[in-house]
């Protein structure tokens, strides 16, 4: 079968592959870490969308205002996403070490805010005022669903959102620092 570049030069039957140039392993590791960081950036964007939907959705269903942390955490997170995108160098852009350090810092701050939010929501908010309970009551009033079943699923959802915030931001900061 003919190749796109024409006929194979004489004397190369493919057995000389071990003498050809190979990409050094350190460059392969950097490329792999950048690919993982791009995946983490996409997952962080999804996380912040879910965070805003959950923490704004429940109060808005009830006609109330969301908590102030709902405004601060996504701002820090979206700043981290912008810096992370710039730091990794999407498309033809070159990567920026300064942007990666900024991303790592914002991710550390985001992790601290996520831990604080989880601590407050799980320990300092009375059960009757928690988002899962309020969400269950709103779903029972609006759609006639079983309040306790909806509360249980909402509690699981809230726990998953908190855990995702810890893990994604921590992993992102680690990958940015290790690049």
């Amino acid at each position: 079968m003919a190749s796109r570049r024409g006929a194979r030069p004489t004397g190369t039957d493919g057995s000389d592959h071990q003498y050809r140039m190979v990409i050094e392993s350190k460059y392969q590791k950097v490329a792999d870490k950048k690919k993982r960081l791009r995946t983490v950036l996409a997952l962080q964007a999804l996380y912040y969308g879910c965070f805003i939907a959950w923490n704004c959705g429940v109060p808005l269903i009830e006609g109330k205002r969301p908590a102030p942390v709902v405004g601060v955490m996504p701002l820090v997170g979206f700043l981290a996403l912008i810096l992370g995108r710039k730091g990794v160098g999407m498309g033809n852009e070159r990567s920026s070490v300064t942007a990666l350090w900024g991303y790592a810092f914002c991710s550390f701050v985001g992790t601290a805010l996520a831990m604080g939010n989880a601590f407050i929501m799980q320990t300092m908010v009375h059960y009757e005022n928690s988002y899962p309970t309020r969400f269950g009551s709103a779903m029972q009033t609006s759609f006639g669903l079983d309040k306790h079943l909806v509360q249980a699923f909402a509690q699981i959802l809230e726990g998953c959102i908190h855990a995702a915030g810890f893990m994604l931001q921590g992993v992102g900061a680690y990958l940015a620092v290790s690049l």
Side-chain angles (χ1 to χ4, degrees):
M1 202 151 92
S3 69
R4 291 182 187 173
R5 297 182 187 141
R8 181 179 302 173
T10 58
T12 58
D13 58 356
S15 61
D16 61 345
H17 62 87
Q18 48 186 274
Y19 300 107
R20 293 182 188 161
M21 290 188 356
V22 179
I23 298 173
E24 286 188 50
S25 65
K26 65 181 181 181
Y27 297 117
Q28 288 177 338
K29 288 178 183 177
V30 167
D32 184 49
K33 285 182 182 178
K34 282 186 177 183
K35 183 179 177 182
R36 288 181 184 179
L37 188 56
R38 286 184 185 106
T39 303
V40 168
L41 287 170
L43 290 174
Q44 275 184 325
L46 179 66
Y47 160 73
Y48 280 110
C50 292
F51 177 85
I52 290 171
W54 177 249
N55 288 296
C56 289
V58 173
L60 291 176
I61 287 172
E62 300 171 331
K64 297 180 181 178
R65 298 181 121 218
V69 74
V70 176
V72 174
M73 273 186 69
L75 286 177
V76 170
F78 288 126
L79 178 63
L81 292 174
I82 291 168
L83 289 170
R85 184 186 177 283
K86 184 75 174 165
V88 171
M90 297 288 202
N92 291 333
E93 294 177 0
R94 291 185 53 115
S95 57
S96 167
V97 174
T98 307
L100 279 175
W101 279 104
Y103 168 75
F105 176 75
C106 287
S107 291
F108 284 128
V109 171
T111 302
L113 287 172
M115 285 183 184
N117 182 42
F119 177 76
I120 289 169
M121 296 301 285
Q122 299 300 321
T123 60
M124 301 180 90
V125 175
H126 191 272
Y127 180 73
E128 288 300 319
N129 294 326
S130 69
Y131 280 180
T133 302
R134 291 165 49 190
F135 184 70
S137 298
M139 292 298 108
Q140 183 181 28
T141 304
S142 299
F143 301 108
L145 299 173
D146 182 24
K147 176 181 176 179
H148 299 292
L149 182 63
V150 173
Q151 285 175 353
F153 281 116
Q155 188 69 37
I156 292 168
L157 175 69
E158 188 175 61
C160 289
I161 289 173
H162 292 315
F166 300 156
M167 291 188 317
L168 287 173
Q169 294 175 96
V171 167
Y174 169 75
L175 287 173
V177 169
S178 67
L179 272 177

